[in-house]
Amino acid sequence: MKTKKITERKFDRWLRKCVGVSLAFAVALSASLYFSGQTVYASTAYTDAEPNDSYEQAQLITRNAQTPAQYVSNQTSVYRYVTGTLSYDDEDWYKVYLYSDDENYLDLNVGSGTITVELYTSSNSVVPLTTFEFQKYGDTNVYSVPVPESGLYYLRVYHDTTSISSTYYFTIGNPQYTLGSYTHTFRSTTLAAKGTWDDTVDLSEISSIPENAIGYEISIGGCTSSVSSERYFYNKHYGHWVATKSTFSYSLPVSETASSLDQEWGAKIVSTSSSSKTFSPTMTIRYVAPDLPVE
């Protein structure tokens, strides 16, 4: 299952690169906002501005600061990304302030060939702190960025394609996010009239769930409302059974502490029927997950 998840993510990246990353982002964002009815909050796009061909000419950008909660609610006001084009003999330089207390990631998509990014400190423009390599069809599009101390860092972006230009799209700072859902089907049960069923599952053992996934909505199902109109969920944060709404779903706080999928979750169904019923209870959690380096 983990291999399948990684393959699907590679395909999503490949598709985004094929159609053009800037266009794909705009279309995806507009579509999601249209269907969700959410308000659009403008993101900030940096386009490489020549001359930015040296350390001294580095273009100032701002780190991506979008949080999982903001991604779920379509708030992109602190989403920062960079688009650029490298001609056959070109290199682009950027400078960005990064904080050592944050986890920082460089997520770059390549239009063609291989693009290399070197990271420099403000005190050393000769020897890079580290080097990252991105390929159009490569396995890695995200790297963890070492930030030994808070300060201004420089990025040198160049490529190995000598005959044609290459486009790129990247974010640095907070990771990019994706939405997903996981449904757990419990063992079939026969619930007596006015009886109660409950069970738990440790989702940390489910390999198909992405690392650091955070739930934002949970639903308890598997039976009709005529069988039960009282359904509950549980996790360690709440410490007790929490009633769902009439839709049998509950909006979770987008918090790693409260809603991390990497813990034990429980479901409970109370029969409101006058006769016994047999069914397979389900628990569905919609989640947001960061795009992290594949180990």
Side-chain angles (χ1 to χ4, degrees):
M1 295 298 290
K2 185 174 182 180
T3 301
K4 180 181 179 182
K5 180 62 67 176
I6 293 174
T7 302
E8 290 174 348
R9 185 161 60 175
K10 290 179 183 176
F11 175 77
D12 290 340
R13 288 173 175 165
W14 175 83
L15 181 62
R16 179 167 56 173
K17 288 179 281 189
C18 286
V19 300
V21 290
S22 298
L23 177 61
F25 173 78
V27 171
L29 178 62
S30 299
S32 64
L33 296 178
Y34 175 81
F35 288 111
S36 67
Q38 296 282 349
T39 301
V40 176
Y41 299 85
S43 56
T44 299
Y46 298 97
T47 303
D48 78 284
E50 300 293 344
N52 61 347
D53 304 320
S54 67
Y55 182 92
E56 294 74 20
Q57 296 174 327
Q59 181 180 347
L60 180 64
I61 61 174
T62 306
R63 71 183 299 276
N64 175 36
Q66 189 179 44
T67 65
Q70 290 169 331
Y71 184 84
V72 170
S73 60
N74 292 315
Q75 296 184 46
T76 61
S77 59
V78 291
Y79 182 78
R80 308 283 189 261
Y81 65 98
V82 181
T83 61
T85 302
L86 292 168
S87 59
Y88 72 93
D89 60 350
D90 189 21
E91 62 182 59
D92 294 334
W93 283 80
Y94 300 93
K95 55 185 177 182
V96 58
Y97 197 94
L98 301 175
Y99 301 90
S100 59
D101 292 340
D102 296 329
E103 290 186 339
N104 293 282
Y105 298 93
L106 177 62
D107 188 324
L108 188 146
N109 287 278
V110 182
S112 61
T114 299
I115 285 183
T116 302
V117 179
E118 295 175 344
L119 179 72
Y120 295 84
T121 65
S122 58
S123 60
N124 189 337
S125 60
V126 179
V127 181
L129 182 63
T130 189
T131 300
F132 311 101
E133 186 176 273
F134 303 88
Q135 298 176 341
K136 182 175 182 180
Y137 301 110
D139 292 337
T140 303
N141 287 81
V142 185
Y143 290 95
S144 178
V145 178
V147 180
E149 60 182 5
S150 298
L152 199 61
Y153 288 81
Y154 289 74
L155 302 173
R156 179 192 178 213
V157 183
Y158 61 97
H159 70 150
D160 65 355
T161 307
T162 58
S163 58
I164 60 175
S165 62
S166 179
T167 58
Y168 59 86
Y169 169 108
F170 76 82
T171 61
I172 187 168
N174 284 3
Q176 298 197 58
Y177 299 97
T178 56
L179 300 180
S181 67
Y182 173 76
T183 297
H184 182 81
T185 302
F186 294 93
R187 185 176 302 176
S188 179
T189 184
T190 298
L191 185 58
K194 310 302 180 182
T196 299
W197 166 91
D198 66 79
D199 201 354
T200 60
V201 57
D202 186 355
L203 295 186
S204 65
E205 299 179 354
I206 307 300
S207 61
S208 61
I209 297 176
E211 182 181 355
N212 294 349
I214 300 173
Y216 65 89
E217 183 183 78
I218 185 169
S219 301
I220 308 301
C223 62
T224 63
S225 57
S226 62
V227 174
S228 172
S229 58
E230 297 180 15
R231 306 179 196 181
Y232 306 80
F233 75 92
Y234 163 91
N235 70 16
K236 183 178 179 180
H237 169 75
Y238 290 96
H240 59 84
W241 292 107
V242 180
T244 61
K245 300 178 181 179
S246 58
T247 56
F248 311 121
S249 64
Y250 187 93
S251 295
L252 299 165
V254 187
S255 161
E256 184 176 350
T257 302
S259 307
S260 169
L261 268 68
D262 189 15
Q263 62 176 310
E264 185 178 75
W265 290 77
K268 181 167 76 170
I269 296 177
V270 178
S271 172
T272 52
S273 174
S274 57
S275 59
S276 63
K277 302 290 182 179
T278 300
F279 60 94
S280 296
T282 62
M283 177 178 66
T284 298
I285 303 180
R286 300 183 185 278
Y287 61 78
V288 55
D291 191 5
L292 300 177
V294 178
E295 297 180 357

